[in-house]
Amino acid sequence: MKTVCLLAAVAALPASAAFAQEDRSRFAVGAQLGTPGAGLQAQYAVNDYIVLRGSYDVLQWDADDTYDDIDYKADIDFQSPGAFVDLHPFGNGFFVSGGAYFGERVVDLRSDPDEDVELGGFTFTPEQVGRLTGRIDLESTAPFLGVGYDNTFTRGGAWGFRVLAGAAFGDAPQVRLSASGGTLSDTPLFQEILADEERDIQEEADDYKVLPVVQIGLSYRF
């Protein structure tokens, strides 16, 4: 709520002439940090109201995660180039953004059980299961909508500040799960049970269809 009130207050400020300082160009570059990772961006101001923006964000992270009550080591690797149009309806820093993220975004899973685990309603020992490995592939194209504040082209100096909040949308991620090294891991019955477990993880991975995006960044206008 505080963020919404802040953006509303910014929008109410008098519109400023974005190109009153003719000694500076319509191009800017910058860096940002947020939920999509760390990245770089380039901006081109078409006029006082439209800014075209391209970015490239990278998120690489190792985490402990739990799917269907089984603990996994999760290796997150998101490579997210993006293309956006930022609309400044009041001619000031407030903007509404639309566009899309592209590229490969995957989560690799690995589990080496050290106690009995339940798969598909059956209990197995660590020796029977062996190692569980999985992969969650997110949609390569994720449309984006958001709002924010960016004064790169509405102030006299070379440096600008940007804050952005929104969401990226995609189809259901694709999940693959396999087992190896166990006394039962290669048997047909265990493979059927593993397929059921894969479907259970798929249901939980559907939460990745909508990813929150929050970013802050700095820009330099030439």
Side-chain angles (χ1 to χ4, degrees):
M1 180 61 70
K2 291 182 179 180
T3 302
V4 173
C5 293
L6 175 61
L7 292 174
V10 170
L13 295 174
S16 60
F19 302 110
Q21 301 82 23
E22 293 298 336
D23 57 326
R24 297 201 177 275
S25 77
R26 298 175 182 238
F27 291 95
V29 296
Q32 66 270 351
L33 183 66
T35 52
L40 302 173
Q41 68 163 352
Q43 296 171 279
Y44 174 72
V46 178
N47 52 40
D48 288 1
Y49 306 99
I50 300 175
V51 176
L52 306 180
R53 178 167 53 90
S55 66
Y56 193 98
D57 295 289
V58 175
L59 177 62
Q60 293 179 324
W61 190 261
D62 296 336
D64 295 326
D65 213 341
T66 300
Y67 291 95
D68 203 25
D69 298 325
I70 296 179
D71 296 329
Y72 290 90
K73 296 290 185 182
D75 296 328
I76 300 170
D77 187 2
F78 288 4
Q79 310 284 334
S80 304
F84 312 92
V85 177
D86 298 337
L87 302 178
H88 296 252
F90 306 104
N92 60 8
F94 173 80
F95 70 91
V96 178
S97 182
Y101 288 99
F102 308 95
E104 186 177 56
R105 298 177 298 154
V106 300
V107 180
D108 288 316
L109 304 175
R110 184 184 73 257
S111 178
D112 295 294
D114 56 7
E115 58 184 18
D116 291 355
V117 296
E118 185 175 311
L119 295 169
F122 298 91
T123 301
F124 298 91
T125 67
E127 292 75 21
Q128 292 172 326
V129 174
R131 168 173 288 186
L132 294 173
T133 57
R135 182 180 176 98
I136 302 175
D137 285 284
L138 278 68
E139 187 73 16
S140 59
T141 300
F144 170 81
L145 289 174
V147 296
Y149 176 80
D150 186 345
N151 63 5
T152 301
F153 298 102
T154 60
R155 63 188 304 273
W159 292 97
F161 171 77
R162 184 170 64 88
V163 59
L164 174 66
F169 306 87
D171 292 334
Q174 299 300 308
V175 176
R176 288 172 287 171
L177 186 65
S178 62
S180 62
T183 58
L184 297 179
S185 57
D186 292 329
T187 63
L189 179 57
F190 188 86
Q191 289 298 315
E192 290 182 14
I193 294 173
L194 200 62
D196 291 337
E197 182 71 12
E198 184 178 282
R199 284 188 286 270
D200 291 340
I201 295 178
Q202 178 73 63
E203 292 179 2
E204 295 188 30
D206 286 349
D207 293 340
Y208 287 107
K209 288 195 293 185
V210 179
L211 296 178
V213 175
V214 179
Q215 284 182 325
I216 58 173
L218 292 174
S219 299
Y220 180 82
R221 182 181 176 189
F222 296 99

